[in-house]
Amino acid sequence: MPLQGIFCFLCCRQGFSLLGREYGEKEEEESFEMRNKSELARNGMGPLDVTLSQPTRTVNGMNSLSEVPEEMRSLITEKGKMGLEEDPELVVKGWLYQNVHGGWIRQRRYWFILTQDSLDYYSSQEKGARRLGTLVLTGLCSVIWPDKQTYKETGYWSIVVYGRKHCYRLYTKHFNEAVHWACTIQKVIDSKAPVETPTQLLMRDIEENKSNPEVVEHIYEHNPILKYTQSPLYAPLLPFPYGSLEHTHHNGKGYTTVRDEAVKVFNSLQQLEAARDPVPLIQGVLQTCLDLSPLRDEVYCQLVKQSSGCPAPDTPAHLRYWQLLTCMSCTFLPGPAVLSYLRFHLKRVQSQYPDTEMDRYAAFISEALDKTRRRECVPSWEEIQVLMGRREMLCTVHYPGPGSCQVPISSHTTADEVVERMSEQLGLLGSRNTFALFEQGAHRERPIAGGTIVADVLTRFENLSAKEPDSDSQWRLCFKLYCLLDADGISTDSIEYLFLFEQCHEMMVRGQLPASEEDLQALAALRLQSLNGDFSTHSPCPPLDELFPGHVVEARVLLALKAPPAPPATVPAAPPPPPPPGCPQRFPGSLLTGALWSHTAAAAHKQKVERDQRLRGRLKEEGAAVMGAIVERWKGLVGYSRQDSMAAYLAIFRQWSGFGCTLYEVDFYISSTGSFSQKLWLGVAAKAVSLYKQGEAEALESFPYGQICSYGVSDSNTFKISAQDRDLLFETSKQMEIMQLMNAYFSATHQQQQQQGGAAETDSGLRLPPALLELPSHPV
């Protein structure tokens, strides 16, 4: 190692002892802003002298405290010897209340002076007044601006200034004055040079000397803060602003300041070594990093520290740090500086420990960092287990009918990638129609956006099951037809034909097929024939709600049931004669009235129970009658094969003009002001968007895509389509699904045009302008 390089490196580390109290592993709490009286007296300084110093970097990147000018070594020089005098660095001054109490307690106000270095307050504004407190302002201080809630509670506008050890809560009766103070203090804080911790300076030294292994190893050898420790951490490795999280949306989760949370996380990391089951601890650390994004770089630095220079490497206890680092690398990406430091650390470990578990973890993490994107959820229990073993997960994907496939996925696999793998396994890559992955529950389903990470969806399923363990709703992934672009081109002996048949039946059972009751019974009979073949008394028969729309049976029962006759009016009995004079009344009148009211309420409740029982009985009877009619039709289908039954089923379905569209229930605003609306179906198909009155087969109005100028989400529950100089407003909770499906139709149509030679116009007159091709969804 060159002598000059070693000399410069040793000079670089001189200044770190000055910040050891703030960022090292042993913190002396007695001074950062002001030293205690005994220490200052020994140093020959006044009781309020402040000497806040930190190393600076010269042109060649080295630190030397001796080269720092005297005026740069202290933020406030011998301020304790000054009374209240004219300070040339004065910024603003004025009266403020420091604490506001309700009731009869008299309010105390103080004279505050803001300078370029500190916020001081005095007993009065007179010259020579006693200074009562000082808050040194650095780049890590923070200001909370005035809020209405405090004003409503106290009658004062407040600002909060956070320092390392002090927190000033200041109050004034005037809003403009509070804003002026907050703005001015924030400007002073912003003018301060960024604070760098020893870890940051060492990271920079390593980055600058990474081509010189001798210098790098010397840095690691002489700086314990970079290496494994069993001692607690008293301050974060990276700089964090002083302040509280009480004004953020995370205050309900029990978090304190980010600095305190960083120290708590390091304690959790050390507990990993002895934990019998590390998964809960790992999930807890990941959840904290998800909630508090500034902590992610800090946790990466802590893990690099704990996985460097361990006295017992490659042991199960030490590998826990590598397992958490693996989960972190598959969940969050660090910032550029920490990412570069992490990559260098991984290469260094691989060169020092080849053919070990650490080497294999480092290789896995390096590959993961190239693929990781922003995650919506922390990994599930199953995902953490497979990541600890550096394996892939097996994901079960269902498709229409009883079938399913096992698809291997990683923490980076997207829904589009699963769709491509499923299409390849099922031989659907040549189809002109498009497919998508769906979240499917007992009562609803929704498509998954192509860029969604599938592991996040599985984590959501796990969380739902944990919240509702007794629920019968089982969420699962389902692979289905999404955009039906060419229904006629589907071969009758292909699995795609089965998809079309099953999804049409799902629409019919949900009541989204406007057809007569005879046609619905015929469809149910064809469904039974396709499932079981010819009728037999031993054939299993699914329940009615899997064959026939339930709302049709309910409508028949409600029409058949007559309203129960009104109970006869009761003539109130004549009041009893008054008791003879001198004879006390046996029962008070209020007691008799209460008893009569209780009897009436009980009778009404009894009538309601009887009415519900009657309704359930009629529903059961009507259901049995409908099932009997379906079975009779099934008996007449003797000889129909499965393919014949499916073809006859779809032939009835094709008679509807909306065949192939996806229906969404919407509230259509008839007037532009939204004062009157009507419940309709919005049908999104390959060539047009149509409006249907629920239960009617013919569309009220259709809008070919060539006539649509723009579409998109107008607000949280409104979807807007602009077509033919008209603005159509729809209130729906599925506005994102509608926009996603319309985007898919535009994209698929444009792709097919390019494959056919770039035709500018489709058969339906759909002409896609260049802006619409690039961004098929136009937010309104």
Side-chain angles (χ1 to χ4, degrees):
M1 176 179 181
L3 182 60
Q4 182 180 4
I6 297 177
F7 175 75
C8 292
F9 164 73
L10 294 176
C11 290
C12 177
R13 303 275 68 82
Q14 286 181 3
F16 287 164
S17 61
L18 299 173
L19 289 180
R21 288 181 298 274
E22 171 68 1
Y23 296 104
E25 297 175 6
K26 294 182 179 180
E27 179 185 40
E28 300 174 6
E29 288 291 343
E30 51 263 21
S31 172
F32 185 82
E33 294 170 2
M34 297 193 302
R35 300 176 182 273
N36 59 33
K37 294 182 179 180
S38 60
E39 182 182 354
L40 296 172
R42 289 195 302 270
N43 294 334
M45 301 170 63
L48 292 177
D49 295 340
V50 179
T51 57
L52 177 62
S53 303
Q54 57 180 337
T56 60
R57 300 182 70 81
T58 59
V59 176
N60 59 2
M62 299 296 122
N63 294 313
S64 178
L65 188 59
S66 61
E67 299 176 5
V68 180
E70 181 65 26
E71 62 271 15
M72 296 294 294
R73 295 189 187 181
S74 176
L75 294 178
I76 304 176
T77 306
E78 297 185 349
K79 198 161 186 175
K81 299 178 182 178
M82 299 171 56
L84 180 52
E85 300 177 357
E86 290 298 326
D87 192 336
E89 296 185 347
L90 177 73
V91 178
V92 66
K93 58 185 177 181
W95 290 103
L96 291 171
Y97 294 96
Q98 189 170 10
N99 291 299
V100 175
H101 302 282
W104 53 270
I105 300 178
R106 186 185 175 201
Q107 312 298 337
R108 290 290 305 275
R109 65 175 188 167
Y110 302 93
W111 184 252
F112 280 81
I113 294 180
L114 174 65
T115 68
Q116 292 292 343
D117 296 319
S118 67
L119 178 63
D120 309 321
Y121 69 99
Y122 298 81
S123 57
S124 70
Q125 61 178 338
E126 298 176 359
K127 188 174 182 179
R130 185 164 58 95
R131 183 162 58 106
L132 302 177
T134 294
L135 190 149
V136 177
L137 297 175
T138 68
L140 297 181
C141 295
S142 60
V143 180
I144 303 297
W145 285 54
D147 63 283
K148 290 183 178 180
Q149 185 62 32
T150 304
Y151 179 75
K152 290 179 180 178
E153 295 173 355
T154 64
Y156 291 84
W157 296 99
S158 71
I159 62 172
V160 186
V161 185
Y162 288 100
R164 177 177 177 268
K165 288 187 176 181
H166 305 292
C167 169
Y168 285 178
R169 298 180 182 271
L170 311 177
Y171 299 86
T172 177
K173 292 185 177 181
H174 306 289
F175 175 73
N176 291 339
E177 186 178 359
V179 171
H180 178 65
W181 274 99
C183 184
T184 309
I185 295 172
Q186 188 64 54
K187 285 182 179 180
V188 172
I189 294 172
D190 293 340
S191 67
K192 299 299 178 183
V195 177
E196 287 189 304
T197 65
T199 299
Q200 285 180 303
L201 296 173
L202 290 167
M203 286 167 53
R204 191 179 306 174
D205 288 340
I206 292 173
E207 178 68 22
E208 293 172 354
N209 296 280
K210 62 183 180 181
S211 59
N212 193 334
E214 295 181 0
V215 174
V216 170
E217 294 306 321
H218 201 278
I219 293 174
Y220 275 98
E221 182 179 354
H222 290 83
N223 291 276
I225 199 171
L226 294 176
K227 296 188 293 185
Y228 172 87
T229 181
Q230 292 182 337
S231 302
L233 197 66
Y234 292 99
L237 302 179
L238 301 178
F240 291 108
Y242 311 125
S244 172
L245 293 175
E246 63 184 5
H247 290 273
T248 69
H249 63 281
H250 295 301
N251 62 338
K253 297 189 176 181
Y255 293 121
T256 56
T257 66
V258 181
R259 299 170 59 82
D260 292 342
E261 292 301 325
V263 175
K264 292 179 182 178
V265 165
F266 188 79
N267 181 47
S268 298
L269 301 190
Q270 292 178 316
Q271 294 178 22
L272 278 174
E273 296 186 36
R276 179 176 299 177
D277 181 10
V279 175
L281 275 173
I282 291 176
Q283 273 190 322
V285 172
L286 295 176
Q287 186 65 52
T288 302
C289 291
L290 180 68
D291 295 336
L292 306 178
S293 56
L295 276 183
R296 297 170 190 175
D297 282 0
E298 170 72 19
V299 174
Y300 268 113
C301 290
Q302 292 180 5
L303 287 171
V304 170
K305 169 185 172 65
Q306 292 299 94
S307 57
S308 301
C310 180
D314 225 30
T315 59
H318 178 251
L319 289 178
R320 293 285 173 82
Y321 295 111
W322 285 98
Q323 291 165 355
L324 176 53
L325 191 56
T326 300
C327 295
M328 283 286 295
S329 67
C330 293
T331 312
F332 313 109
L333 274 179
V338 177
L339 179 60
S340 177
Y341 176 50
L342 173 62
R343 289 191 182 278
F344 176 80
H345 169 68
L346 298 175
K347 292 179 181 178
R348 179 170 174 264
V349 169
Q350 286 184 281
S351 64
Q352 290 180 341
Y353 304 98
D355 298 325
T356 61
E357 282 294 296
M358 292 188 298
D359 177 23
R360 288 183 276 274
Y361 273 113
F364 186 91
I365 294 168
S366 297
E367 185 179 351
L369 290 172
D370 295 330
K371 302 176 182 178
T372 297
R373 298 186 304 137
R374 181 179 176 274
R375 294 285 297 268
E376 297 178 2
C377 309
V378 300
S380 63
W381 184 90
E382 181 185 0
E383 184 180 356
I384 291 176
Q385 288 285 340
V386 298
L387 285 176
M388 290 170 63
R390 305 186 304 276
R391 304 186 307 271
E392 287 187 327
M393 268 191 306
L394 281 179
C395 171
T396 302
V397 181
H398 301 264
Y399 53 83
S404 64
C405 289
Q406 296 285 327
V407 180
I409 64 169
S410 68
S411 299
H412 322 287
T413 305
T414 63
D416 277 342
E417 293 172 345
V418 172
V419 168
E420 186 175 357
R421 294 176 189 177
M422 287 290 295
S423 300
E424 183 178 0
Q425 288 189 31
L426 298 175
L428 297 171
L429 290 176
S431 173
R432 294 188 59 193
N433 303 304
T434 63
F435 301 85
L437 210 57
F438 287 75
E439 297 179 13
Q440 193 175 71
H443 304 292
R444 66 160 300 182
E445 68 178 18
R446 53 177 173 260
I448 301 173
T452 303
I453 296 174
V454 177
D456 280 340
V457 180
L458 298 178
T459 301
R460 229 171 19 244
F461 292 170
E462 183 180 281
N463 295 338
L464 289 172
S465 299
K467 289 180 181 178
E468 301 177 0
D470 299 329
S471 174
D472 58 351
S473 177
Q474 292 288 337
W475 287 92
R476 64 180 190 175
L477 293 176
C478 192
F479 174 78
K480 301 176 64 177
L481 271 169
Y482 189 49
C483 295
L484 188 61
L485 299 168
D486 183 18
D488 297 331
I490 300 177
S491 174
T492 56
D493 57 352
S494 66
I495 193 171
E496 190 175 3
Y497 195 75
L498 173 63
F499 282 18
L500 180 61
F501 168 71
E502 293 288 346
Q503 290 180 223
C504 285
H505 182 67
E506 289 176 6
M507 286 186 65
M508 188 271 281
V509 171
R510 287 197 300 261
Q512 292 184 334
L513 176 64
S516 64
E517 188 172 344
E518 289 75 13
D519 285 343
L520 295 176
Q521 291 180 5
L523 292 173
L526 289 167
R527 172 70 173 177
L528 286 173
Q529 183 71 16
S530 68
L531 291 175
N532 302 323
D534 293 343
F535 171 78
S536 170
T537 55
H538 303 290
S539 298
C541 192
L544 182 63
D545 58 2
E546 295 181 11
L547 296 172
F548 195 81
H551 76 278
V552 176
V553 179
E554 293 174 4
R556 289 179 59 176
V557 170
L558 291 176
L559 287 176
L561 278 177
K562 293 181 180 180
T570 56
V571 179
C583 179
Q585 185 176 359
R586 177 176 296 182
F587 298 107
S590 60
L591 181 61
L592 292 173
T593 305
L596 182 61
W597 174 258
S598 300
H599 175 73
T600 306
H605 176 70
K606 182 179 180 181
Q607 288 179 358
K608 182 178 182 302
V609 171
E610 292 175 353
R611 189 166 55 250
D612 291 343
Q613 288 179 348
R614 240 185 356 259
L615 178 61
R616 285 194 295 269
R618 290 301 304 271
L619 281 173
K620 188 175 181 180
E621 293 174 4
E622 194 66 33
V626 171
M627 193 66 189
I630 293 172
V631 171
E632 289 300 320
R633 289 177 176 271
W634 179 21
K635 294 177 181 178
L637 298 176
V638 177
Y640 272 62
S641 66
R642 177 180 174 82
Q643 295 296 332
D644 295 338
S645 303
M646 292 166 60
Y649 191 106
L650 292 176
I652 298 175
F653 223 100
R654 288 175 188 270
Q655 296 175 5
W656 176 40
S657 61
F659 172 72
C661 74
T662 302
L663 293 179
Y664 299 94
E665 186 176 288
V666 297
D667 283 329
F668 174 52
Y669 290 118
I670 296 177
S671 64
S672 59
T673 60
S675 58
F676 182 69
S677 64
Q678 182 181 8
K679 281 195 176 295
L680 299 176
W681 279 335
L682 178 67
V684 181
K687 298 180 180 180
V689 174
S690 305
L691 287 174
Y692 294 89
K693 190 173 182 180
Q694 295 187 5
E696 294 188 0
E698 295 301 323
L700 297 175
E701 199 166 3
S702 292
F703 302 94
Y705 288 127
Q707 299 176 4
I708 295 178
C709 304
S710 65
Y711 61 94
V713 177
S714 179
D715 56 37
S716 60
N717 61 346
T718 304
F719 190 77
K720 181 177 180 180
I721 297 177
S722 297
Q724 295 180 335
D725 299 329
R726 294 172 57 188
D727 290 336
L728 308 175
L729 295 177
F730 307 97
E731 183 176 349
T732 174
S733 61
K734 298 186 177 182
Q735 68 273 14
M736 295 305 298
E737 296 181 26
I738 298 172
M739 188 171 70
Q740 183 180 335
L741 181 58
M742 292 181 68
N743 289 348
Y745 272 121
F746 271 105
S747 177
T749 304
H750 175 56
Q751 185 177 0
Q752 289 186 6
Q753 288 176 2
Q754 289 182 328
Q755 293 174 354
Q756 295 172 3
E761 194 168 340
T762 64
D763 296 338
S764 63
L766 171 58
R767 179 167 298 159
L768 302 179
L772 199 58
L773 292 180
E774 297 172 7
L775 294 173
S777 169
H778 280 201
V780 178

